[in-house]
Amino acid sequence: MYEQVSHALLNDILDDLSHQVVREDLRHFYTRLGANFYAIHSLFEHLYGHREDFKEQITRLTERLARAYIDRPESLRQIDMEREENHNWFLSQEWTGMALYLDGFAGNLQGLTKRLSYLQELGVNMVHVMPILRCPQGASDGGYAVSDFRNIDSRAGSVDDISELTEAMHKRGMLLTLDVVVNHTSNEHAWAQQACAGDKTYQDFYYVFPNRDVPDMFEETLPEIFPETAPGNFTWNDQMERWVMTVFNTYQWDLNYSNPSVFIEMVDIILFWANQGADIVRLDAVAFLWKKIGTTSQNEREAHLILQLMKDCCQVVAPGVLFIAEAIVAPSEIIKYFGEDAVIAKECEIAYNATFMALLWDAVATKNAKLLNQGIKSLPLKLDRATWLNYIRCHDDIGLGFDDADIHACDYDPYAHRHFLIKWFTGAFEGSPARGRPFGVNHKTGDARIAGALASLAGLESALETQDQEAIDHAVNLILTLHGMIMSFGGIPLIWYGDEIGTLNDSSFLDDVNKAGDARWIHRPRIDWHRAERRHEQGSVEQRLFDGLKRMIEARKRTPAFADFNNRELVDVSNPHLFAFLRTHPTMLTSSVLVVANFDATPQYLDLEQLSNRGVFRYGLLQDVITGDSPAVFNNRVIIPPFHFYWLANQRARSML
């Protein structure tokens, strides 16, 4: 009966559309709309079915989808059809990404187009351009306080420059990732300005309250995101004489998704950027989309329904476009952003593997893989047609959100262990070579997060200061080992710009009054292209890192076992300093690769007898997939040098193919 209701409503909407839209080929649109409308109607009804204007609102949504499809360039429609036929295309091992701030990397969009050859030289074929939409100067939160969702910062270029960039990238077989900040707007956005002027329609786009009654009820359970710089979750607006929900910063107003007009506008914005050529849309702060008194207002069921609805709408207009869920939450929660009770992703196809990132940094500080191994065992399996985005550094801080049960299982005290990590990475622990800074310090709880460039956190900065060659070698090897893990774990590796040449902390942000209070700017560099040229100087740090990553990416692309089909098996080894796992392609079993990393400052060994039934690695000629060299083996034990890793394959087994 319910399906009949949605079918009848769809017919009414299509009849109306046929009068509005003439001389347009909408065959693919109608086919996809018919295939997805039952799900769209069901979700929209669940969220907004109690409203008297439900039919009017879902009709508006469908009309927006039709307009977006009509606006979609033919070249992008062709890409959609190709990806529909090869629906696992993004699970391939061929993809390697880089995230970058446009001004720090290339100045503007035209500059980035000119730098594509540099990215190709490295092997990068997916580029995440950090948000470049219009934001108020001095209150932009690094691009995440958007004042105009359809125009970019004039310093970056124009929307036409985006189209030219995507055309150049697609010719080179590269993918473009762009952000849509779905949780909030700047207080200078037109919607917020109209709300300030007293327009009730736009006040309903946000959470606005005349007094502290409701805000105080929220505050009882809402955590503070930035307790140092933006304590609390509500801000008084003098012009409206109202309290506004501002979970992140006082100038970022949270959008009210209980209003269907907000949902429709944001879907339209996502499709707008899809039509400019974005292959992947990163949805920012998705965990916060639904607010509910008495909860943390994170990871609510309705937030997942909103994402499902966004995905279904995108499937109608631009099915070749992927979503990234930016949700830095517990492993048991992050897995839900792929979609529950499904085989293929019904929310976002890609999610940040923040757990793996944090666990890798724990291994760096402790020089053992105990918590890393324990934490990976607790990482839930993802859906088949979904993948991780694996990274070491990004624009944000390093959080220490490990599961306390995992920390206890490693015989650590959770509070003491986190405190040790903060001291280690900020250089406050005796003997630590790290040069990070604390971020987001909560003086009430003692919690903090960590900011800093990869090279500085890994000890390269301090090693270069003292010109200690052994320390430099260790830092370079550690940086490559960390990348070796994200390249082989399963998913899309994402390099942070500058890490490929060992870019250090940039403290110049302290001279900018608009940035000095945010320590994360220390690892948001402006690339020194003269230094980047040293990648051609044999033996330089830049050359060792750049060429090491380049060889790694090349090897990854030619290794089918690194495609992401839930084909990773953690290997239990008795040596606590080692992290080891097996990658096996589901249809090419003899192409298996054994990945092993040593996080200690001394050589360690892997006993091949401990590989149990994985006999393919117990005998025969082991070779490193990257270099082609054979590791040192003594008494059936593989020797792994300090801060080193191997991707090992049995060449005898491979030769039998």
Side-chain angles (χ1 to χ4, degrees):
M1 178 62 70
Y2 190 78
E3 188 167 2
Q4 291 176 347
V5 171
S6 68
H7 183 71
L9 178 58
L10 176 60
N11 285 336
D12 289 345
I13 293 172
L14 293 181
D15 285 343
D16 186 50
L17 273 178
S18 66
H19 296 295
Q20 296 184 49
V21 181
V22 294
R23 295 188 300 277
E24 294 288 349
D25 183 359
L26 298 180
R27 287 173 297 173
H28 290 298
F29 173 77
Y30 288 145
T31 299
R32 293 178 186 139
L33 181 62
N36 289 279
F37 191 77
Y38 176 65
I40 291 172
H41 179 266
S42 299
L43 291 165
F44 204 81
E45 196 277 338
H46 184 92
L47 291 165
Y48 309 116
H50 61 284
R51 294 175 59 104
E52 292 182 359
D53 62 348
F54 169 77
K55 183 176 180 180
E56 175 189 338
Q57 294 285 1
I58 197 169
T59 300
R60 284 182 56 229
L61 173 63
T62 309
E63 290 171 353
R64 293 288 188 99
L65 299 184
R67 297 294 176 188
Y69 178 82
I70 291 168
D71 291 341
R72 190 154 179 77
E74 182 59 32
S75 60
L76 299 181
R77 293 186 190 179
Q78 290 298 319
I79 291 174
D80 288 334
M81 288 189 285
E82 292 168 8
R83 292 176 182 170
E84 282 181 304
E85 290 183 14
N86 179 24
H87 62 275
N88 286 333
W89 64 274
F90 63 96
L91 303 179
S92 167
Q93 75 279 6
E94 70 178 280
W95 303 112
T96 297
M98 177 178 282
L100 55 87
Y101 270 112
L102 183 64
D103 59 341
F105 182 78
N108 55 30
L109 289 166
Q110 292 182 358
L112 177 56
T113 302
K114 294 175 182 176
R115 293 291 184 187
L116 292 180
S117 58
Y118 171 84
L119 298 175
Q120 278 195 303
E121 179 188 345
L122 182 60
V124 164
N125 51 14
M126 185 187 104
V127 182
H128 174 200
V129 178
M130 300 295 289
I132 52 175
L133 301 184
R134 288 183 182 171
C135 297
Q137 291 191 32
S140 71
D141 187 28
Y144 290 97
V146 178
S147 56
D148 188 339
F149 280 113
R150 297 177 189 271
N151 281 298
I152 66 173
D153 188 316
S154 60
R155 293 169 295 183
S158 66
V159 174
D160 288 341
D161 291 329
I162 287 278
S163 298
E164 292 177 11
L165 173 65
T166 56
E167 183 179 357
M169 291 180 68
H170 288 162
K171 286 179 180 177
R172 296 171 182 256
M174 303 173 80
L175 307 176
L176 175 64
T177 301
L178 295 176
D179 285 81
V180 174
V181 183
V182 288
N183 179 69
H184 46 258
T185 75
S186 162
N187 60 351
E188 295 187 22
H189 191 283
W191 301 339
Q193 292 296 296
Q194 291 177 77
C196 286
D199 191 324
K200 183 67 168 58
T201 296
Y202 288 99
Q203 288 182 358
D204 287 345
F205 270 47
Y206 302 98
Y207 295 91
V208 176
F209 304 99
N211 56 50
R212 287 292 308 188
D213 292 348
V214 174
D216 285 344
M217 292 178 70
F218 268 112
E219 292 286 18
E220 290 179 7
T221 53
L222 287 181
E224 293 178 321
I225 304 302
F226 298 132
E228 282 184 298
T229 56
N233 292 275
F234 292 85
T235 299
W236 176 257
N237 181 270
D238 286 329
Q239 190 174 352
M240 276 193 303
E241 297 187 334
R242 296 285 190 277
W243 290 94
V244 184
M245 181 175 277
T246 55
V247 166
F248 286 86
N249 285 293
T250 58
Y251 51 81
Q252 288 167 300
W253 289 15
D254 286 64
L255 287 165
N256 177 12
Y257 276 90
S258 66
N259 180 351
S261 294
V262 169
F263 176 85
I264 293 168
E265 290 295 335
M266 295 310 295
V267 164
D268 204 37
I269 288 161
I270 291 169
L271 296 176
F272 173 82
W273 289 109
N275 282 350
Q276 305 312 310
D279 301 280
I280 305 171
V281 176
R282 177 187 179 275
L283 302 177
D284 183 67
V286 292
F288 298 83
L289 293 183
W290 197 265
K291 310 302 194 290
K292 189 178 294 185
I293 290 174
T295 73
T296 62
S297 293
Q298 295 183 40
N299 308 309
E300 292 296 320
R301 178 171 179 265
E302 289 84 355
H304 291 284
L305 298 182
I306 288 167
L307 290 173
Q308 289 178 37
L309 188 51
M310 286 178 171
K311 171 49 61 177
D312 288 336
C313 291
C314 192
Q315 287 295 103
V316 173
V317 176
V321 172
L322 306 178
F323 285 175
I324 296 176
E326 192 275 325
I328 311 304
V329 294
S332 59
E333 293 295 337
I334 184 61
I335 208 77
K336 297 176 184 177
Y337 288 91
F338 295 125
E340 293 188 279
D341 303 321
V343 176
I344 65 172
K346 62 181 183 181
E347 293 185 26
C348 299
E349 293 90 349
I350 307 172
Y352 284 91
N353 198 350
T355 298
F356 187 40
M357 177 274 297
L359 290 168
L360 285 171
W361 283 112
D362 183 88
V364 170
T366 61
K367 296 185 173 59
N368 71 63
K370 289 196 301 182
L371 187 55
L372 174 56
N373 278 292
Q374 180 64 35
I376 294 304
K377 289 177 185 176
S378 302
L379 187 67
L381 284 178
K382 64 173 184 60
L383 302 181
D384 288 343
R385 191 176 172 268
T387 197
W388 293 114
L389 205 57
N390 297 311
Y391 64 107
I392 309 164
R393 291 302 294 114
C394 66
H395 75 288
D396 233 331
D397 54 273
I398 299 172
L400 306 176
F402 312 113
D403 190 309
D404 283 359
D406 288 335
I407 300 177
H408 281 299
C410 296
D411 297 322
Y412 297 140
D413 173 76
Y415 178 83
H417 190 64
R418 290 189 178 93
H419 190 61
F420 156 72
L421 293 174
I422 294 166
K423 291 181 67 177
W424 179 271
F425 286 114
T426 57
F429 193 89
E430 185 177 354
S432 168
R435 294 291 182 268
R437 286 174 175 261
F439 173 75
V441 177
N442 190 326
H443 297 289
K444 301 174 188 175
T445 64
D447 292 336
R449 307 195 291 273
I450 299 157
L454 166 58
S456 297
L457 293 172
L460 183 59
E461 181 175 336
S462 58
L464 291 172
E465 287 173 356
T466 59
Q467 284 299 296
D468 182 334
Q469 191 57 52
E470 183 181 30
I472 292 172
D473 292 343
H474 280 177
V476 168
N477 290 334
L478 177 58
I479 291 168
L480 291 175
T481 293
L482 290 170
H483 281 99
M485 296 304 96
I486 67 168
M487 294 275 179
S488 57
F489 185 77
I492 301 172
L494 186 68
I495 301 167
W496 182 239
Y497 77 116
D499 287 351
E500 77 282 2
I501 54 172
T503 300
L504 305 176
N505 285 342
D506 180 3
S507 297
S508 65
F509 78 99
L510 294 171
D511 300 326
D512 186 334
V513 67
N514 294 319
K515 297 178 179 178
D518 187 341
R520 293 173 299 177
W521 286 104
I522 201 169
H523 57 255
R524 299 171 178 176
R526 188 169 296 278
I527 295 298
D528 182 345
W529 287 103
H530 293 293
R531 185 176 173 219
E533 285 300 308
R534 293 208 291 266
R535 72 188 186 278
H536 302 303
E537 296 177 14
Q538 192 64 31
S540 68
V541 166
E542 293 80 6
Q543 179 269 323
R544 293 170 65 188
L545 289 173
F546 190 93
D547 285 356
L549 280 176
K550 180 178 179 179
R551 287 193 301 269
M552 207 182 296
I553 294 169
E554 289 172 348
R556 169 183 160 81
K557 289 179 179 179
R558 63 174 184 264
T559 306
F562 288 160
D564 190 14
F565 296 106
N566 276 331
N567 50 328
R568 179 189 64 256
E569 180 185 357
L570 194 65
V571 178
D572 282 319
V573 295
S574 59
N575 190 328
H577 301 289
L578 301 182
F579 179 54
F581 55 90
L582 184 69
R583 299 299 310 280
T584 302
H585 192 278
T587 62
M588 293 179 275
L589 301 183
T590 54
S591 70
S592 298
V593 176
L594 177 65
V595 178
V596 58
N598 174 18
F599 285 94
D600 195 40
T602 61
Q604 301 292 323
Y605 67 82
L606 171 67
D607 192 339
L608 294 177
E609 294 296 331
Q610 291 185 337
L611 297 183
S612 183
N613 61 343
R614 306 172 188 89
V616 67
F617 291 101
R618 293 173 64 189
Y619 309 103
L621 178 63
L622 293 181
Q623 274 189 336
D624 182 57
V625 171
I626 300 171
T627 64
D629 297 334
S630 295
V633 180
F634 183 75
N635 286 343
N636 219 26
R637 291 174 170 176
V638 178
I639 311 303
I640 301 101
F643 306 120
H644 197 80
F645 77 100
Y646 286 123
W647 292 346
L648 297 175
N650 188 330
Q651 293 307 305
R652 182 176 297 172
R654 289 192 165 195
S655 66
M656 296 171 63
L657 287 174

